[in-house]
Amino acid sequence: MNPKTQAGVGIVVTALASAAMAGSAAAAPAVPVDLPLQPLGMVLPMAPPAVNTGVPIPMPGAPVGLTTRTDGRVQPLLLPQVPVAGTVPETLITATLPTVIENQPVTQALLSTPASDVGTTTPGARVEAPTTLPHAESFGLPAIALPEAGVLPPMATGALESHLGLASAED
């Protein structure tokens, strides 16, 4: 095999490995986390709560607003907005309850939140130049215009919900 073929095969293998690693990273929306709350057992009269949750992995997207078109003005200076998406992982908090009423099966309090997709967009800015494009009427010179500036606000989208309830030891 000649060196050019070896280099080509190496590039293809490297590209495939990079794609496989990127695909596996995108497949995991959150890193699972179990909070160790056992030291609270020395302070609380009952068993400490258990918390099972995860840390979301934000995935940035392509910048938005880079291809704006202006009529008769110089191309504006842009600070584009960048969308960031992620998944808030499922969270389950359980706490043992003391027996308050005899012969009652309620022994745990539960707080759970299902996984949900959330998205944000970073703030952006736009500044128009104080000149226009050259005109034939002014012998190819640009005209003076009022400068314009604007701030593009950040955005957040998503739906978060939670459930609070009681459970027995059999649940």
Side-chain angles (χ1 to χ4, degrees), residues 19-90:
M21 290 179 70
S24 65
V31 177
V33 175
D34 289 331
L35 298 178
L37 299 177
Q38 289 82 12
L40 291 177
M42 295 184 294
V43 180
L44 296 175
M46 62 194 100
V51 179
N52 298 327
T53 187
V55 177
I57 300 173
M59 300 297 291
V64 178
L66 287 174
T67 58
T68 59
R69 184 174 162 262
T70 58
D71 292 330
R73 304 273 312 241
V74 177
Q75 183 69 25
L77 176 65
L78 297 172
L79 177 63
Q81 292 180 303
V82 178
V84 179
T87 300
V88 175
E90 180 180 12

Side-chain angles (χ1 to χ4, degrees), residues 84-102:
V84 179
T87 300
V88 175
E90 180 180 12
T91 301
L92 178 63
I93 301 173
T94 58
T96 305
L97 296 175
T99 304
V100 177
I101 301 173
E102 293 294 324

